[in-house]
Amino acid sequence: MRKIKIQEIDGFLIGQEQNEKAGTGCTAIICEKGAVAGVDVRGGAPATRETDLLNPCNTVEQIHCVMLSGGSAFGLDAASGAMRYLEEKGIGFDMGTVKVPIVCGASLFDLHIGDPHIRPNQEMGYAACTKTDQLFQEGNYGAGCGCSIGKTLGAAHAMKSGIGAYAMQFGDVQIGAVVAVNACGDIYDYENHEIIGAAQKEGVFYPAEQLLMQKMEMPMGNTTIGCVMTNAKLTKAQANKLAAMAHDGYAHAITPTHTMSDGDTIFAMASGTASCDFNLLGALAVKCVEQAVINGFKQAKSAYGLPAYQKK
């Protein structure tokens, strides 16, 4: 087993666009040939698009893009840009008279960063799709541009976070995850058993669980969103189960997670070119998500008045 780059996973393209001044952006994960997909939404305050069609009971078997964006519910409009881009390339579910691109999405809340009146829109989503030939960058890019964590003491005492990725290959099978880390809670280094990011005052961490014991309220406006990608052959039901298993990666790296003020969501996409034991694939998905969360936090730079693990 070896670590690979996220853009090496067979069948997938990733593009990002951001508005640094406004503090928001989006990340498009495209599978032009179509990917069997699933989703698992566990947070109490989600902003999502086209999740119902991923139910194995429903008709459409493949999707063509997952759009991760900032902008809260406003940011779901970025997926329309992906639809326009894919339609121009003749990609979509063939309805005879037209091909309809199937684009799922989820948005996180970053409206307290930068300019809250500028959000990812159709133009930004389209622009992200045109940049799949560029190197994927972690930290303050794409959907990670306006991300922050540790908001239990309010946005003023949060830390800057961002988007991260991690991918592995064993034999012919590849799997990886892209996660935009915008948690209300703390970032926990699971391997070293320590909190590495939390609400802070003058450099001192105030862990969320301790604050909750003091009857501090969980502030609204968070959500960690991500997508697991693999070249494995999966059914729609298995893709949904893979997304569910992958949430353990959130639980390893974020504390607390899946709160009523987070809309935590994970998509799973499978391009279907390799065979793999499903239980192993699920275990690796957890590892990829966990490490993507850590990378998204560690690679972020200080911005918008928020300190970061990595100094500007």
Side-chain angles (χ1 to χ4, degrees):
M1 190 176 301
R2 63 185 178 89
K3 181 180 176 183
I4 61 173
K5 294 179 180 179
I6 192 69
Q7 288 172 303
E8 292 182 53
I9 300 177
D10 184 39
F12 295 95
L13 300 169
I14 306 174
Q16 303 198 98
E17 180 71 351
Q18 59 279 326
N19 183 323
E20 294 182 12
K21 183 177 180 181
T24 195
C26 61
T27 300
I29 302 165
I30 297 172
C31 186
E32 293 183 339
K33 293 183 179 180
V36 174
V39 68
D40 194 280
V41 181
R42 298 201 180 181
T48 55
R49 169 194 166 111
E50 293 280 45
T51 53
D52 282 354
L53 67 79
L54 298 181
N55 187 315
C57 296
N58 294 332
T59 302
V60 174
E61 289 293 328
Q62 294 183 324
I63 71 169
H64 305 97
C65 178
V66 164
M67 181 67 75
L68 307 177
S69 74
S72 189
F74 295 109
L76 294 173
D77 189 40
S80 296
M83 287 195 71
R84 177 161 61 93
Y85 173 84
L86 292 167
E87 183 184 25
E88 289 174 1
K89 297 193 70 174
I91 295 170
F93 185 74
D94 194 346
M95 295 297 293
T97 56
V98 66
K99 289 185 178 180
V100 181
I102 307 300
V103 181
C104 299
S107 298
L108 55 83
F109 187 97
D110 55 10
L111 301 181
H112 56 278
I113 297 292
D115 187 341
H117 301 292
I118 298 177
R119 286 89 59 155
N121 55 16
Q122 183 176 150
E123 288 69 31
M124 184 181 284
Y126 186 95
C129 293
T130 67
K131 296 184 176 181
T132 58
D133 59 338
Q134 298 183 11
L135 182 67
F136 178 82
Q137 293 182 283
E138 297 177 307
N140 303 21
Y141 297 92
C145 184
C147 284
S148 57
I149 62 94
K151 286 162 273 191
T152 321
L153 288 176
H157 298 286
M159 292 185 70
K160 187 70 182 75
S161 186
I163 196 165
Y166 191 85
M168 295 183 286
Q169 178 164 346
F170 57 103
D172 296 330
V173 178
Q174 300 167 316
I175 185 168
V178 172
V179 180
V181 187
N182 192 55
C184 182
D186 313 328
I187 302 301
Y188 184 76
D189 187 331
Y190 187 75
E191 292 185 351
N192 295 313
H193 307 291
E194 63 176 344
I195 291 174
I196 58 174
Q200 51 76 46
K201 287 183 180 180
E202 299 178 352
V204 177
F205 286 164
Y206 289 80
E209 289 183 355
Q210 293 182 17
L211 292 172
L212 288 173
M213 291 177 188
Q214 298 171 25
K215 298 185 179 180
M216 297 289 290
E217 292 187 6
M218 296 289 278
M220 299 300 291
N222 308 288
T223 299
T224 296
I225 51 178
C227 182
V228 172
M229 297 166 285
T230 180
N231 68 339
K233 298 175 183 178
L234 298 179
T235 66
K236 217 172 160 184
Q238 287 175 322
N240 277 276
K241 183 62 175 177
L242 185 66
M245 296 172 76
H247 269 281
D248 284 357
Y250 282 1
H252 285 183
I254 302 169
T255 179
T257 190
H258 306 140
T259 74
M260 294 305 292
S261 63
D262 289 284
D264 298 337
T265 300
I266 295 180
F267 293 93
M269 301 175 74
S271 58
T273 61
S275 298
C276 176
D277 177 81
F278 181 75
N279 292 310
L280 174 59
L281 196 69
L284 294 177
V286 173
K287 181 68 174 179
C288 288
V289 168
E290 173 195 327
Q291 289 300 312
V293 170
I294 296 295
N295 290 345
F297 174 66
K298 285 188 172 182
Q299 293 303 313
K301 301 287 183 65
S302 299
Y304 314 110
L306 300 180
Y309 182 91
Q310 183 177 150
K311 304 305 178 185
K312 188 173 181 179

